[in-house]
Amino acid sequence: MCKIEDVVDSYVKEKIPPKAPPKAPPLPPCPPTTANPKKVMTKSKANEMSSNKHQCSMNTATRDLYDRLFDEAYRADVVVHTDIGGQIYAHASILGMTSPVIRHMLNQSKGKTRRRSISIRGVPHDAVRVFIRFLYSSCYNPEEMKEYILHLLVLSHVYVVPHLKRECEIQLENGLLNIENVIDVFQLALLCDAPRLSLICHRLILSNFKAVLASEGWTAMKESHPILERDILTTVVQADTRRKASVRKRNEKKMYAQLYEAMEALVHICRDGCKTIGPHDKEPKEDEHPCGYTACKGLELLVRHFAACRLKVPGGCTHCKRMWKLFELHSRLCIDSDVCRVPLCRNFKDRSMKLNKKEDMRWKILARKIVRSRSISGAPFFSLASST
């Protein structure tokens, strides 16, 4: 908000030299809040109203006035009949203004006497009383809201009271929704056209399906709405399938990233050398900083085994067979085999020309996925591509 003091000070600094600025004139006294429609709210008052916002949207004096009007039924002209012979006295003008359905019921009520009557049945008497009380001032007792929230959700939908319906949804989303009542709330959300609430219920069911399956609400739904049960089970299977596919893709991506790191470590060992292993024309670099390739240590052990094993023919030794696969995979990723220092790179490159189309395509797909797994994260395609 722009303050008058700031405007006056800026104007003074522009028009008068800064040596002797005059003092800003005092602000005029604020008019009474009752006469100013745009009244200023103090910080303490704002905090008080913010803390009570979830319970009531009006000040205390007005709330107490409507409490007395409802409790004392002063000049009440409507009788609301509930189950078990209960009666609630109310005012037609208030009910008609807050609910178009009740307005229509009042207009259609028989007899034009001073006091008309309507019926709200199918829910407990106390729930109807909380509902009628909310129509007066949009206020409620938190304990009563917690106890009758499902009934209030139904009443707010049937009698078209959108602000009560939204309040019920907020309270359910913020703590009143649990494993025991999620099935009941889910069914009511579908019937009462509450898509956000139904989505939240559905997510809770999927994330806690075993616990929900053992609840009383699921047993009741299984008997009364078997089609809904089948639909939920279908979505559970679909969600589980998506989860497994996501885990599989994540594991595949991790495997491709590890293979890429192994290829980089292989080039690093054969070209530059690492610690105690390297090309024959270079001395080991034992005094250097720790190696930056995470796959270098495991690959170093594999290379040492491959060099000393007497069964290094393909199929003879499991570890040697793995090394042969790494050499062949490197040849698929290598840019220039003529200058490459990795053993057998050119041999495997020439051998790939003689493979059948199906096996060659399998190697090409694997190489493409490995390169793509690292390129998505912004790294270069292959470290050997920029080397000479």
Side-chain angles (χ1 to χ4, degrees), residues 147-197:
E147 183 177 359
Y148 301 112
I149 188 167
L150 299 185
H151 302 293
L152 294 176
L153 179 62
V154 174
L155 291 172
S156 64
H157 175 72
V158 172
Y159 294 100
V160 192
V161 186
H163 55 294
L164 175 58
K165 184 177 182 180
R166 181 56 186 153
E167 187 65 29
C168 293
E169 293 177 3
I170 292 175
Q171 294 301 320
L172 286 169
E173 293 175 14
N174 294 335
L176 296 184
L177 184 66
N178 52 53
I179 302 298
E180 295 299 326
N181 64 5
V182 63
I183 293 296
D184 297 330
V185 176
F186 182 57
Q187 296 180 79
L188 290 179
L190 295 177
L191 294 174
C192 297
D193 190 23
R196 174 182 170 84
L197 184 59

Side-chain angles (χ1 to χ4, degrees), residues 79-89 118-121 125:
V79 179
V80 181
H81 297 278
T82 62
D83 287 345
I84 320 179
Q87 292 183 350
I88 300 173
Y89 294 94
I118 59 175
S119 297
I120 300 180
R121 304 186 184 277
H125 170 81

Side-chain angles (χ1 to χ4, degrees), residues 191-241:
L191 294 174
C192 297
D193 190 23
R196 174 182 170 84
L197 184 59
S198 63
L199 178 60
I200 293 175
C201 294
H202 189 259
R203 289 178 177 176
L204 183 61
I205 293 172
L206 294 182
S207 58
N208 303 273
F209 181 68
K210 291 184 178 180
V212 173
L213 195 62
S215 64
E216 296 180 0
W218 181 272
T219 304
M221 181 196 66
K222 185 176 180 180
E223 297 177 357
S224 59
H225 297 88
I227 297 179
L228 181 59
E229 180 202 13
R230 184 187 62 188
D231 293 341
I232 294 178
L233 292 176
T234 302
T235 59
V236 169
V237 173
Q238 293 174 351
D240 186 64
T241 303

